Amino acid sequence: MTHETVPLYGGKLSRRVTIRDLRTAKERGERWPMLTSYDMYTAEIFDAAGIPVLLVGDSAGNNVYAHADTVPVTVEELVPLARAVVRSTSRALVVCDLPFGSYQLGPEQALATSIRIMKETGAQAVKLEGGLPVVESVHRIVEAGVPVMAHIGFTPQSVNALGGYRVQGRGTDGDRLVEAALALEEAGAFAVVLEMVTAEVAAEVTKRLHIPTVGIGAGPDVDAQVLVWQDMAGMREDRMPRFVKQYGDVRGALLTATRAFADDVVSGTFPAEEHTYH
Ligand code: KIV
């Protein structure tokens, strides 16, 4: 059977994007966008827009569940979100995060959680955070047939150990990140997220790896860029990290619509005759 080769973004594809498509896109030097999604409507919209990879991130912690960070998120909380995203898409490759505490005990726990997520959500891949300490787990999961996206640099699940939201890879730390990325590729990861990493280190990692790098605060010289959708679309009103660019004002649009509805109710103009049954 032949494998259709079309651009990841903007190309027509009658099936889901696969990890093989991502690999060949890297060989073609093609850049691609990735977004988080946690629900039916955003998943359907992003899929219609042609976003090739959607992440059901544990950033649901501070974007859905109103926690301060991702640390409290559980597998039980992510599973229904991922299931909804999978059901609402037909083209995007859906990746589901392994939340904090669901893989740190070692390869056996990491594999058990990955299998559970794949079976219960229908996602096509999992993502986990960490460098050399998780290499064996990545190997074990991949060997069992589950594609793994790695995540190094600033790893939000370790925010307490890292002492806050800090850029990674400065000075000799850059060598540590390159070494970790190479080891994760060797272990079988199909892509590596680089979060809040200097542009120079991200460019070096991207040059050295055969699998795609996905940057978030990692500068322009990576294969793909990911943003949390609420940051990208302007859903939040608090201060954004430097790496975010807002492409919309969804918060403003929703506030305007909400106030217009409320005003109509208070003034008695809604419902009008056309909204009324007789
Ligand atoms: O959970 C998440 O949204 C992430 C992305 C920021 C890469 O890990």
Side-chain angles (χ1 to χ4, degrees), residues 152-174:
I152 58 174
F154 176 74
T155 44
Q157 293 176 11
S158 309
V159 61
N160 296 301
L162 293 170
Y165 292 76
R166 307 163 80 93
V167 175
Q168 308 290 306
R170 293 208 162 116
T172 51
D173 192 41

Side-chain angles (χ1 to χ4, degrees), residues 36 38 55 57-59 97 127 129 151 193 195 216 226 228:
T36 63
Y38 320 91
L55 171 66
D58 60 356
S59 50
D97 255 333
K127 177 168 83 58
E129 296 182 6
H151 183 159
V193 171
E195 180 161 356
I216 172 161
V226 59
V228 168

Side-chain angles (χ1 to χ4, degrees), residues 22-40:
L22 303 184
R23 182 80 170 232
T24 56
K26 170 132 186 165
E27 286 161 13
R28 294 195 299 270
E30 186 187 323
R31 280 200 275 263
W32 44 274
M34 167 169 148
L35 283 172
T36 63
S37 177
Y38 320 91
D39 71 286
M40 168 181 157

Side-chain angles (χ1 to χ4, degrees), residues 46-224:
F46 301 154
D47 204 38
I51 301 293
V53 183
L54 293 178
L55 171 66
V56 184
D58 60 356
S59 50
N62 43 322
N63 289 279
V64 174
Y65 289 115
H67 293 303
D69 52 44
T70 64
V71 174
V73 176
T74 62
V75 173
E76 286 69 25
E77 285 174 325
L78 278 194
V79 162
L81 308 186
R83 208 181 269 149
V85 169
V86 171
R87 281 190 195 137
S88 309
T89 51
S90 57
R91 183 183 187 273
L93 185 152
V94 179
V95 183
C96 182
D97 255 333
L98 302 191
F100 182 60
S102 73
Y103 63 96
Q104 281 84 357
L105 294 181
E108 287 306 301
Q109 190 202 20
L111 177 59
T113 307
S114 302
I115 289 173
R116 176 174 172 197
I117 284 184
M118 297 295 282
K119 284 177 101 72
E120 294 185 20
T121 70
Q124 289 81 46
V126 299
K127 177 168 83 58
L128 53 74
E129 296 182 6
L132 295 182
V134 299
V135 163
E136 208 186 316
S137 293
V138 169
H139 184 251
R140 189 93 169 81
I141 302 168
V142 171
E143 218 178 32
V146 178
V148 176
M149 178 178 274
H151 183 159
I152 58 174
F154 176 74
T155 44
Q157 293 176 11
S158 309
V159 61
N160 296 301
L162 293 170
Y165 292 76
R166 307 163 80 93
V167 175
Q168 308 290 306
R170 293 208 162 116
T172 51
D173 192 41
D175 297 337
R176 178 185 65 87
L177 288 178
V178 174
E179 188 193 355
L182 288 168
L184 289 160
E185 175 178 64
E186 176 72 22
F190 73 87
V192 182
V193 171
L194 302 172
E195 180 161 356
M196 287 177 74
V197 167
T198 63
E200 294 72 23
V201 168
E204 176 68 13
V205 171
T206 303
K207 197 172 76 185
R208 302 271 297 270
L209 296 192
H210 299 97
I211 57 173
T213 54
V214 184
I216 172 161
D221 297 322
V222 287
D223 300 301

Side-chain angles (χ1 to χ4, degrees), residues 258-274:
T258 305
R259 287 181 180 137
F261 162 69
D263 288 347
D264 276 5
V265 171
V266 170
S267 67
T269 37
F270 177 82
E273 185 55 28
E274 68 264 32

